[in-house]
């Protein structure tokens, strides 16, 4: 008989909640993906976008809410996918509870870090599309690009630079001027 293969541990939401204080990770199909602390540049982009989106919603009397990371998103009812997008915009208040968002946010923004590149460009894109996220932005400060996926349309992403004004797909009147972003 061949030697038995070592069993890979299957992680659950309980393992995520048991992490030491301050340690962040995401859970996808039984695997834990640890998250490195964000850089100052990452946090500047996060703050800029959070303020722009939040101020727009408030000024227009909108009903959506914007949540910066860390904020739990349970994409599917089986809790097999626990993610912490950099920014989540949720318009359906019934998806919100004290633990986070149950189901797909309307709009997610991920800010690429060196350790998250493949996860943001491939894994999360696929998961967000499958879950029903309406709009997904990938902000890459190294490339100074923003990929905008209008998930409700089966089109290729639109690619913008850090000098562009970007109109969102889920709001008719929200434009974000990336040239105002300061490092």
């Amino acid at each position: 008989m061949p030697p038995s293969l070592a069993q890979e541990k299957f992680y659950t939401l309980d393992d995520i909640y048991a992490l030491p204080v301050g340690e962040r990770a995401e859970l996808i199909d039984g695997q834990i993906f640890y998250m490195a602390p964000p850089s100052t540049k990452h946090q500047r982009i996060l703050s800029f976008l959070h303020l722009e989106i939040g101020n727009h919603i408030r000024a227009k009397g909108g009903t959506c809410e914007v949540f910066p990371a860390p904020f739990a998103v349970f994409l599917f009812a089986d809790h097999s996918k626990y993610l912490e997008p950099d920014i989540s915009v949720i318009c359906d208040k019934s998806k919100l509870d004290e633990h986070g968002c149950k189901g797909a946010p309307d709009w997610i923004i991920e800010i690429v870090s060196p350790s998250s590149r493949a996860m943001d460009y491939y894994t999360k894109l696929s998961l967000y599309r499958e879950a029903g996220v309406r709009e997904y932005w990938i902000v890459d400060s190294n490339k100074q690009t923003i990929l905008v996926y209008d998930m409700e349309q089966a089109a290729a992403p639109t690619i913008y630079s850090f000098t562009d004004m970007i109109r969102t797909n889920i709001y008719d009147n929200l434009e974000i001027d990336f040239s105002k972003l300061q490092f």
Side-chain angles (χ1 to χ4, degrees):
M1 268 187 121
S4 64
L5 297 174
Q7 286 286 348
E8 229 181 89
K9 181 164 171 54
F10 186 84
Y11 295 95
T12 67
L13 199 53
D14 289 338
D15 296 305
I16 290 290
Y17 287 135
L19 290 173
V21 173
E23 187 156 2
R24 292 181 48 217
E26 296 177 310
L27 176 70
I28 301 173
D29 298 330
Q31 280 193 285
I32 286 184
F33 297 89
Y34 292 94
M35 300 166 69
S39 68
T40 301
K41 182 188 272 189
H42 181 282
Q43 292 304 95
R44 283 187 178 126
I45 295 168
L46 178 73
S47 294
F48 170 76
L49 290 168
H50 180 239
L51 285 170
E52 291 288 310
I53 297 164
N55 287 339
H56 174 81
I57 291 170
R58 185 177 311 117
K60 299 296 182 183
T63 58
C64 300
E65 289 187 64
V66 59
F67 295 92
F71 179 73
V73 172
F74 304 89
L75 285 178
F76 302 99
D78 65 3
H79 291 175
S80 64
K81 287 141 181 92
Y82 166 93
L83 301 173
E84 292 186 4
D86 289 311
I87 294 180
S88 301
V89 177
I90 295 111
C91 301
D92 179 353
K93 305 262 191 214
S94 71
K95 292 182 179 181
L96 297 171
D97 68 14
E98 68 276 3
H99 299 291
C101 178
K102 308 286 190 212
D106 293 270
W107 179 16
I108 289 179
I109 300 173
E110 294 286 5
I111 302 162
V112 176
S113 299
S115 63
S116 73
R117 184 167 297 286
M119 182 73 81
D120 293 338
Y121 277 98
Y122 303 107
T123 306
K124 288 184 177 181
L125 170 62
S126 176
L127 289 173
Y128 295 154
R129 182 171 282 146
E130 178 186 350
V133 171
R134 295 170 53 205
E135 185 164 351
Y136 177 44
W137 289 18
I138 301 173
V139 179
D140 193 325
S141 63
N142 285 345
K143 295 180 179 181
Q144 297 222 338
T145 59
I146 304 98
L147 272 68
V148 174
Y149 289 88
D150 180 351
M151 304 288 227
E152 295 176 312
Q153 306 299 318
T158 304
I159 303 170
Y160 296 95
S161 77
F162 275 33
T163 60
D164 290 330
M165 176 83 75
I166 303 174
R167 179 181 296 266
T168 63
N169 294 304
I170 69 165
Y171 291 111
D172 291 334
N173 54 359
L174 172 55
E175 293 182 326
I176 298 177
D177 185 354
F178 268 80
S179 70
K180 291 182 181 177
L181 175 62
Q182 304 209 348
F183 295 109

